[in-house]
Coordinates of all heavy atoms in Angstrom, one line a residue:
N100 N 42.0 0.0 86.9 CA 41.3 1.3 86.9 C 42.3 2.4 86.7 O 43.5 2.1 86.7 CB 40.5 1.5 88.1 CG 41.3 1.6 89.4 OD1 42.3 2.2 89.4 ND2 40.8 0.9 90.5
E101 N 41.8 3.6 86.4 CA 42.8 4.7 86.2 C 43.8 4.9 87.3 O 45.0 5.1 87.0 CB 42.0 6.0 85.9 CG 42.9 7.0 85.2 CD 42.7 8.4 85.8 OE1 41.9 8.7 86.6 OE2 43.6 9.3 85.4
K102 N 43.4 4.9 88.5 CA 44.3 5.1 89.6 C 45.4 4.0 89.7 O 46.6 4.3 89.8 CB 43.5 5.2 90.9 CG 44.4 5.5 92.1 CD 43.6 5.5 93.4 CE 44.5 5.9 94.5 NZ 43.7 6.1 95.8
E103 N 45.0 2.8 89.4 CA 46.0 1.7 89.4 C 47.0 1.9 88.3 O 48.2 1.7 88.4 CB 45.3 0.4 89.3 CG 44.5 0.0 90.5 CD 43.6 -1.2 90.3 OE1 43.1 -1.3 89.1 OE2 43.4 -2.0 91.2
Y104 N 46.5 2.3 87.1 CA 47.3 2.5 85.9 C 48.3 3.6 86.2 O 49.5 3.5 86.0 CB 46.5 2.9 84.7 CG 47.3 3.1 83.4 CD1 47.8 2.0 82.8 CD2 47.6 4.4 83.0 CE1 48.6 2.2 81.7 CE2 48.4 4.5 81.9 CZ 48.9 3.5 81.2 OH 49.7 3.7 80.1
V105 N 47.8 4.8 86.8 CA 48.7 6.0 87.1 C 49.8 5.5 88.0 O 51.0 5.8 87.8 CB 47.9 7.1 87.7 CG1 48.7 8.1 88.3 CG2 46.9 7.7 86.6
Q106 N 49.5 4.7 89.1 CA 50.5 4.4 90.0 C 51.5 3.4 89.4 O 52.7 3.5 89.7 CB 49.8 3.7 91.2 CG 49.0 4.7 92.1 CD 49.8 5.8 92.6 OE1 51.0 5.7 93.1 NE2 49.3 7.0 92.7
T107 N 51.0 2.5 88.5 CA 51.9 1.6 87.9 C 52.9 2.3 86.9 O 54.1 2.1 87.0 CB 51.2 0.5 87.2 OG1 50.3 -0.2 88.0 CG2 52.1 -0.4 86.4
V108 N 52.4 3.2 86.1 CA 53.2 4.0 85.3 C 54.3 4.8 86.0 O 55.5 4.8 85.6 CB 52.3 4.9 84.3 CG1 53.2 6.0 83.7 CG2 51.5 4.1 83.4
I109 N 53.9 5.4 87.1 CA 54.9 6.2 87.9 C 56.0 5.3 88.4 O 57.1 5.7 88.3 CB 54.1 7.0 89.0 CG1 53.2 8.1 88.5 CG2 55.1 7.5 90.0 CD1 52.3 8.7 89.5
K110 N 55.6 4.1 88.9 CA 56.6 3.2 89.4 C 57.6 2.8 88.2 O 58.8 2.6 88.4 CB 56.0 2.0 90.0 CG 55.3 2.3 91.4 CD 54.6 1.1 92.0 CE 53.8 1.5 93.2 NZ 53.0 0.4 93.7
Q111 N 57.0 2.6 87.1 CA 57.8 2.2 85.9 C 58.7 3.3 85.5 O 59.9 3.1 85.2 CB 56.9 1.8 84.7 CG 56.1 0.5 84.9 CD 55.1 0.2 83.9 OE1 54.4 1.1 83.4 NE2 54.9 -1.0 83.5
L112 N 58.2 4.6 85.5 CA 59.1 5.7 85.1 C 60.2 5.8 86.1 O 61.4 6.2 85.7 CB 58.2 7.0 85.1 CG 57.2 7.0 84.0 CD1 56.3 8.3 84.2 CD2 57.9 7.0 82.6
E113 N 60.0 5.5 87.4 CA 61.1 5.5 88.4 C 62.2 4.5 88.1 O 63.3 4.7 88.5 CB 60.5 5.3 89.8 CG 59.7 6.5 90.3 CD 58.9 6.3 91.6 OE1 58.7 5.1 91.9 OE2 58.6 7.3 92.2
I114 N 61.8 3.4 87.4 CA 62.7 2.3 87.1 C 63.6 2.6 85.9 O 64.8 2.3 85.8 CB 61.9 1.0 86.9 CG1 61.4 0.5 88.3 CG2 62.8 -0.1 86.2 CD1 60.3 -0.5 88.1
L115 N 62.9 3.3 84.9 CA 63.6 3.5 83.6 C 64.7 4.5 83.7 O 64.7 5.4 84.4 CB 62.5 3.9 82.6 CG 61.4 2.9 82.3 CD1 60.3 3.6 81.5 CD2 62.0 1.7 81.6
P116 N 65.7 4.3 82.8 CA 66.9 5.2 82.9 C 66.4 6.7 82.5 O 65.6 6.8 81.7 CB 67.8 4.7 81.8 CG 67.4 3.3 81.5 CD 65.9 3.2 81.9
K117 N 67.1 7.6 83.2 CA 66.7 9.1 82.9 C 66.9 9.5 81.4 O 66.3 10.3 80.9 CB 67.6 9.9 83.9 CG 67.1 9.8 85.3 CD 67.9 10.7 86.2 CE 67.7 10.6 87.6 NZ 66.5 9.9 88.1
K118 N 67.9 8.8 80.8 CA 68.2 9.2 79.4 C 67.2 8.6 78.4 O 67.2 9.0 77.2 CB 69.6 8.8 79.0 CG 69.8 7.3 79.0 CD 71.3 7.0 78.5 CE 71.4 5.5 78.4 NZ 72.5 5.1 77.7
M119 N 66.3 7.6 78.8 CA 65.4 7.0 77.9 C 64.3 7.9 77.6 O 63.7 8.6 78.5 CB 64.8 5.7 78.6 CG 64.0 4.9 77.6 SD 63.3 3.4 78.4 CE 64.9 2.4 78.4
V120 N 64.0 8.0 76.3 CA 62.8 8.9 75.8 C 61.6 8.2 76.1 O 61.3 7.0 75.7 CB 63.0 9.3 74.3 CG1 61.8 10.1 73.9 CG2 64.3 10.0 74.1
I121 N 60.6 8.8 76.8 CA 59.3 8.3 77.1 C 58.4 8.9 76.0 O 58.1 10.1 76.0 CB 58.8 8.7 78.5 CG1 59.8 8.4 79.6 CG2 57.5 8.1 78.7 CD1 60.2 7.0 79.7
E122 N 58.1 8.1 75.0 CA 57.4 8.6 73.8 C 55.9 8.6 74.0 O 55.2 9.3 73.3 CB 57.8 7.7 72.6 CG 59.3 7.9 72.3 CD 59.6 7.2 71.0 OE1 58.7 6.8 70.2 OE2 60.8 7.2 70.7
R123 N 55.4 7.7 75.0 CA 54.0 7.7 75.2 C 53.7 7.1 76.6 O 54.4 6.2 77.0 CB 53.3 6.8 74.2 CG 51.8 6.7 74.3 CD 51.1 6.0 73.1 NE 51.4 6.7 71.9 CZ 51.5 6.0 70.7 NH1 51.5 4.7 70.7 NH2 51.7 6.7 69.6
L124 N 52.7 7.7 77.3 CA 52.4 7.2 78.6 C 50.9 6.6 78.6 O 50.5 5.9 79.6 CB 52.3 8.4 79.6 CG 53.7 9.0 79.9 CD1 53.6 10.1 80.9 CD2 54.6 7.9 80.6
T125 N 50.3 6.7 77.6 CA 49.0 6.1 77.4 C 48.6 6.1 75.9 O 49.0 6.9 75.2 CB 47.8 6.8 78.2 OG1 46.6 6.0 78.1 CG2 47.6 8.2 77.8
G126 N 47.8 5.1 75.5 CA 47.5 4.9 74.1 C 46.1 5.5 73.8 O 45.4 5.9 74.7
D127 N 45.8 5.6 72.5 CA 44.5 6.0 72.0 C 43.8 4.8 71.5 O 44.3 4.0 70.7 CB 44.7 7.1 70.9 CG 45.3 8.3 71.4 OD1 44.7 8.9 72.3 OD2 46.3 8.8 70.8
A128 N 42.5 4.8 71.7 CA 41.6 3.8 71.0 C 40.5 4.6 70.4 O 40.1 5.7 70.9 CB 41.0 2.8 72.0
I129 N 40.0 4.1 69.3 CA 38.9 4.8 68.6 C 37.6 4.5 69.4 O 37.3 3.3 69.8 CB 38.7 4.2 67.2 CG1 40.0 4.6 66.4 CG2 37.4 4.8 66.5 CD1 40.1 3.9 65.0
K130 N 37.0 5.5 69.8 CA 35.8 5.4 70.7 C 34.8 4.4 70.3 O 34.4 3.5 71.2 CB 35.1 6.8 70.9 CG 34.0 6.8 71.9 CD 33.4 8.2 71.9 CE 32.2 8.2 72.9 NZ 31.6 9.5 73.1
D131 N 34.5 4.3 69.0 CA 33.5 3.4 68.6 C 34.0 1.9 68.6 O 33.1 1.0 68.6 CB 33.1 3.7 67.2 CG 32.3 5.0 67.1 OD1 31.8 5.5 68.1 OD2 32.2 5.5 66.0

Side-chain angles (χ1 to χ4, degrees):
N100 62 42
E101 191 224 356
K102 184 176 181 178
E103 292 167 324
Y104 182 77
V105 166
Q106 292 302 323
T107 300
V108 167
I109 291 169
K110 289 175 185 172
Q111 289 171 322
L112 292 173
E113 291 172 335
I114 290 167
L115 297 170
K117 292 184 185 338
K118 67 178 184 166
M119 186 177 290
V120 177
I121 309 302
E122 295 189 13
R123 183 175 294 148
L124 292 175
T125 186
D127 293 303
I129 298 170
K130 183 179 180 179
D131 293 340

